[in-house]
Amino acid sequence: DQQVKQNSPSLSVQEGRISILNCDYTNSMFDYFLWYKKYPAEGPTFLISISSIKDKNEDGRFTVFLNKSAKHLSLHIVPSQPGDSAVYFCAASSPSGTYKYIFGTGTRLKVLA
Amino acid sequence: AAGVIQSPRHLIKEKRETATLKCYPIPRHDTVYWYQQGPGQDPQFLISFYEKMQSDKGSIPDRFSAQQFSDYHSELNMSSLELGDSALYFCASSSGLAGGYEQYFGPGTRLTVT
């Protein structure tokens, strides 16, 4: 039972345009969400987070939006750059006392020059 | 800045052998998490430690054990290895349980069981 889903396994975007990566979750108890970027042969790199008390968090070119009623979050990258090409995972955590994250299956983003 | 260090980066073992994976957290981080990522799969939480005590347990097989030492490094011991144990094993660290919302990952150890 996949509690965190990324339904698009891959996405191609032209350099300079907006990349939108989507993530859906099923557990309404999740209260903290992360986006990670992963290059081949490297560990996931923390990108941006959002708490369930917010609906938007912005950090430079990266913005995460959270729609709690729809159990949906999205990552916007503007403008997209070739160096953004990587696999992006969203992860969710519930208030269990420890932050054992549950990951989505990942979306491979390719930014075309 | 110092990051999470994992060793070895690659490990090849045969079925029924044992393996030990090591994780050195970011300095001053006292919480360590282990994840397993099988081929084409998302990372799955295995186990975590805070201040040398197990803080949470996920889908870790009984053949695996782990501990955190006084210097906060952690080791994942895997015995009676099976082909299905072939995966990328990530360690992440954070500053305290409350800081676990931001976990910093190491580069991973790729274990291949033949």
Side-chain angles (χ1 to χ4, degrees):
Chain A
D1 178 31
Q2 191 74 28
Q3 295 189 65
V4 180
K5 300 177 185 177
Q6 293 175 253
N7 292 319
S8 297
S10 63
L11 175 68
S12 290
V13 172
Q14 208 63 36
E15 181 180 7
R17 306 296 289 268
I18 182 172
S19 295
I20 300 177
L21 294 93
N22 294 303
C23 179
D24 296 292
Y25 60 96
T26 58
N27 189 342
S28 58
M29 295 298 291
F30 288 148
D31 67 343
Y32 210 89
F33 305 88
L34 300 180
W35 281 95
Y36 282 97
K37 178 169 73 173
K38 185 179 180 306
Y39 294 115
E42 294 183 15
T45 303
F46 170 79
L47 258 184
I48 193 168
S49 63
I50 189 166
S51 162
S52 60
I53 62 174
K54 294 186 173 182
D55 54 18
K56 177 183 175 182
N57 190 23
E58 193 171 352
D59 184 2
R61 297 186 296 114
F62 302 91
T63 303
V64 56
F65 296 91
L66 176 62
N67 182 334
K68 290 185 287 295
S69 60
K71 297 192 184 70
H72 176 84
L73 65 155
S74 61
L75 174 68
H76 292 209
I77 307 174
V78 181
S80 302
Q81 299 173 354
D84 295 329
S85 297
V87 177
Y88 289 78
F89 289 97
C90 69
S93 175
S94 57
S96 65
T98 60
Y99 288 87
K100 60 177 181 184
Y101 277 101
I102 296 173
F103 283 77
T105 47
T107 297
R108 183 177 298 278
L109 172 67
K110 188 170 183 179
V111 180
L112 306 168
Chain B
V4 176
I5 297 172
Q6 289 187 248
S7 69
R9 291 294 309 275
H10 302 273
L11 189 59
I12 299 175
K13 291 284 185 179
E14 294 187 357
K15 279 172 54 177
R16 292 181 287 277
E17 284 192 319
T18 61
T20 298
L21 280 56
K22 297 184 179 182
C23 170
Y24 297 86
I26 290 173
R28 290 181 294 281
H29 279 192
D30 50 13
T31 309
V32 169
Y33 310 79
W34 285 96
Y35 292 85
Q36 177 193 55
Q37 185 177 20
Q41 298 178 8
D42 47 293
Q44 297 285 324
F45 172 76
L46 290 178
I47 195 167
S48 63
F49 292 88
Y50 167 65
E51 282 292 343
K52 293 152 277 184
M53 298 286 289
Q54 181 182 307
S55 54
D56 207 342
K57 194 172 180 179
S59 51
I60 183 170
D62 293 339
R63 299 177 289 107
F64 294 8
S65 65
Q67 58 181 326
Q68 186 181 33
F69 295 85
S70 57
D71 63 352
Y72 298 110
H73 93 274
S74 177
E75 295 183 5
L76 178 65
N77 299 294
M78 310 157 72
S79 62
S80 302
L81 287 169
E82 301 174 357
L83 295 178
D85 296 329
S86 295
L88 200 51
Y89 290 83
F90 289 109
C91 165
S93 75
S94 69
S95 177
L97 285 176
Y101 59 89
E102 277 192 21
Q103 297 178 18
Y104 295 84
F105 282 77
T109 294
R110 182 170 295 283
L111 171 67
T112 303
V113 181
T114 61

